Amino acid sequence: QVQLVESGGGVVQPGRSLRLSCAASGFTFSVYAMHWVRQAPGKGLEWVAVISYDGGIKFYADSVKGRFTISRDNFKNTLFLEMNSLRAEDTAVYYCARCGVSGICSSSGSGMDVWGQGTTVTVSS
Amino acid sequence: DIQMTQSPSSLSASVGDRVTITCRASQGIRNDLGWYQQKPGKAPKRLIYAASSLQSGVPSRFSGSGSGTEFTLTINSLQPEDFATYYCLQQHSSYPWTFGQGTKVEIK
């Protein structure tokens, strides 16, 4: 079945780095754009970043721009989020999610149709 | 950036009630909007895409409407499993995409 499984979360000190992974299965990973979305404790959902199906186009939320890098390995069906210079406000559950359409992720039917279970990142000294 | 204003932030309802949640966009987004349900400790689940299309496997008591700047999620005959938090997401043109603040539906 279609599945996304995140890993790599943990407790990290402010200013340090962490790399999240999202393993995809049950679908042709290489034709879908992929997103990261996060949720701080007790708060709402925040879109973080997106990468095109081929990895050539990336966009970031202003809150993470210059610190986070999204990437993918289409041979290993895996999405990544490299997080540097972490701050307390980056503490959240991080979800990976699939674009709702294959190819270019920019239509009314796109959105995010498949989500992982999330991985928790805690930034604390 | 496009801002999404979702209301109410919470509501209390009884099983069998009809519930309506609204999202307003700060500028026109055609029908580039989806609705998501999230239960505590779980990942969000998409209910509606393209403002009014029902996601496969989602019960027909859920419906979406609207276009431009005002959108509505309606739950007809609320069921016990529908008590959750609901979010809208705009996916219009360029990034960033933005979620509404969420609506928590609680048992009266």
Side-chain angles (χ1 to χ4, degrees), chain A residues 10-18 84-88 122-125:
Chain A
V11 180
V12 61
Q13 292 179 327
R16 304 298 291 265
S17 300
L18 205 59
N84 298 320
S85 303
L86 282 162
R87 306 167 179 168
T122 303
V123 183
S124 173
S125 54

Side-chain angles (χ1 to χ4, degrees), chain B residues 52-67:
Chain B
S52 60
S53 296
L54 192 67
Q55 180 74 28
S56 175
V58 173
S60 58
R61 63 181 179 273
F62 292 92
S63 64
S65 64
S67 182

Side-chain angles (χ1 to χ4, degrees), chain A residues 39 59 95 105 108 110 112 116, chain B residues 31-32 36 38 43 46 50 91:
Chain A
Q39 186 170 37
F59 291 100
Y95 298 99
C105 192
S108 60
S110 54
M112 303 164 192
Chain B
N31 67 336
D32 298 337
Y36 296 78
Q38 187 181 33
R46 189 166 73 170
Q91 61 234 20

